[in-house]
Amino acid sequence: MEGIEHRMVKVNGINIHIAEKGEGPVILFLHGFPELWYSWRHQILALSSMGYRAVAPDLRGYGDSDAPDSVESYTCFHVIGDLVELINVVDPDEGKVFVVGHDWGAILGWYLCMFRPDKVKALVNLSVPFLRFHPEIKPVGFWKSYYGSDHYISRFQEYGEIEGEFAEIGVERVLKGYLSDFPVSLPKGKLFKRPLDEENTLPCWLSEEEANYYVTKFQKTGFTGPLNFYRNLNRNWELLKPWVGSKIKTPAKFIMGDKDLVYGVPGMKDYIHNGGFQEDVPSLQQVVVMEGVGHFINMEKPDEINQYIYDFFTQFH
């Protein structure tokens, strides 16, 4: 990770850790769950060599950034507040950046464009398309009705419960389990399908050394901060009522793998390919579905993703 600089910046009343490299227009990289700035290591090195300044924060609650105690401090408003101020810090002259998001980072990328389109030049989102609000159905109830109470979003809701179960099987097991094969179902006592004494085989795109970087950081911080994002899904749904039906007008490109768990959600393919997505994001320029690729697309196929990002953003100079 040579040449990547690390610093803490004070934004929105908390300290956020950022990793950065390069000179030129800023690209802000937003990670997902259970990840860190480090998930963008391939993009930081590549895009900084292509004439961009790559900036990747640890979101609040993650890694070396502050993790406020209260669950209520992790709403979309808090996190977007962090990002708006961060953009002003890293690009004080223009106050407007390119954004790339993955997983939760993609959700935040859509929100950022919805609340503050003046802050984003163009957006590349990975793995999670814009999710249309349903004014009557709360998200946690929606997931539960489709997938039952073992679904990970349902299991994440109760403060402290899943943390206790994660602690029993150990941080290393949890992280390697997630990064290898994101589990949709987390039945009690059988969290990651395999017996505890069985070795966790990492995918070819993730080395033992890379996986251990995550393990080291999460051993210090635990999972509560990251899980609090999920614990605000229903609260966000209430807060977002004024934006029901609003369109994302920022130029956008969307990329996902056909093996991604999100692609298999009921109704998702229809929404993405048959007009709904384009209707909600009228400036959506391209949707790419990569064959044989799973959820952690930016780590699985870094060269292709780097090229997609570069090709898209060069239009906007």
Side-chain angles (χ1 to χ4, degrees), residues 24-97:
V26 173
I27 303 178
L28 183 64
F29 290 95
L30 306 175
H31 68 78
F33 175 88
E35 301 180 75
L36 299 162
W37 74 268
Y38 187 68
S39 296
W40 298 110
R41 57 197 175 279
H42 307 296
Q43 285 69 39
I44 293 170
L45 296 175
L47 275 302
S48 64
S49 71
M50 295 171 170
Y52 289 93
R53 180 173 160 212
V55 177
D58 284 333
L59 297 174
R60 66 164 57 205
Y62 281 88
D64 295 321
S65 293
D66 285 354
D69 289 334
S70 79
V71 175
E72 295 80 18
S73 300
Y74 292 82
T75 71
C76 53
F77 288 172
H78 290 85
V79 187
I80 298 302
D82 299 345
L83 299 179
V84 168
E85 222 171 301
L86 181 59
I87 290 168
N88 295 338
V89 169
V90 297
D91 196 347
D93 299 333
E94 205 176 350
K96 192 173 188 178
V97 299

Side-chain angles (χ1 to χ4, degrees), residues 129-245:
F130 181 75
L131 300 172
R132 195 177 271 186
F133 310 120
H134 195 296
E136 280 96 54
I137 301 171
K138 290 188 176 183
V140 175
F142 165 82
W143 293 110
K144 201 169 188 172
S145 68
Y146 260 109
Y147 291 110
S149 48
D150 284 344
H151 185 254
Y152 72 98
I153 289 177
S154 300
R155 295 282 276 116
F156 286 176
Q157 294 307 310
E158 195 55 52
Y159 186 86
E161 189 179 289
I162 198 78
E163 287 96 324
E165 292 178 50
F166 282 173
E168 272 174 46
I169 63 170
V171 169
E172 183 173 355
R173 186 103 199 149
V174 173
L175 278 164
K176 289 180 176 176
Y178 266 101
L179 294 170
S180 306
D181 179 21
F182 200 103
V184 177
S185 183
L186 294 173
K188 279 191 184 173
K190 286 191 294 203
L191 287 189
F192 290 95
K193 300 185 190 106
R194 300 180 186 88
L196 283 179
D197 54 0
E198 192 185 299
E199 263 306 292
N200 207 340
T201 321
L202 291 175
C204 58
W205 47 265
L206 188 70
S207 72
E208 201 65 45
E209 190 186 351
E210 289 171 321
N212 286 335
Y213 183 88
Y214 291 94
V215 173
T216 307
K217 290 293 177 190
F218 277 88
Q219 275 168 340
K220 284 187 197 153
T221 61
F223 290 94
T224 297
L227 292 167
N228 284 343
F229 283 71
Y230 290 93
R231 290 173 182 145
N232 278 284
L233 282 169
N234 281 351
R235 191 174 282 113
N236 287 343
W237 174 83
E238 287 175 8
L239 294 170
L240 289 165
K241 287 292 178 74
W243 285 271
V244 168

